[in-house]
Amino acid sequence: MVHAFNVPSAFAMRYSKGTKKVLSIHGVFSEQVKKLHSNSVSSIASFTESKVVKWADKLTTDSKISKNEYKKN
């Protein structure tokens, strides 16, 4: 099993040889990037995030709010 702890580490998770892949995200990654960086960087983060979450067999979050945001999107 491979366990990645955020969106950027999901790239290593994707190419690992684990049979099960778990991605844990604390908060909504694209929202965090949006608060820290420009809109162009935020849109790249949002696009990347939408692809990355599909690579995991399971997605875990730190709160129900984050969980609901990921389910919605």
Side-chain angles (χ1 to χ4, degrees):
M1 179 170 80
V2 178
H3 188 186
F5 286 98
N6 55 32
V7 170
S9 65
F11 290 93
M13 175 194 72
R14 182 177 188 196
Y15 296 106
S16 67
K17 296 188 186 276
T19 57
K20 294 292 179 186
K21 297 176 181 183
V22 177
L23 176 60
S24 293
I25 300 178
H26 299 241
V28 179
F29 179 74
S30 57
E31 301 254 339
Q32 295 167 352
V33 170
K34 185 176 185 177
K35 290 179 182 179
L36 295 172
H37 301 287
S38 66
N39 285 337
S40 58
V41 173
S42 173
S43 47
I44 292 168
S46 183
F47 174 78
T48 303
E49 180 182 46
S50 68
K51 301 298 179 193
V52 164
V53 296
K54 295 175 185 173
W55 298 342
D57 296 308
K58 292 289 179 183
L59 178 67
T60 64
T61 61
D62 62 338
S63 68
K64 288 183 180 180
I65 293 170
S66 297
K67 173 184 157 187
N68 291 336
E69 279 297 311
Y70 280 105
K71 277 189 165 186
K72 183 173 74 175
N73 296 325

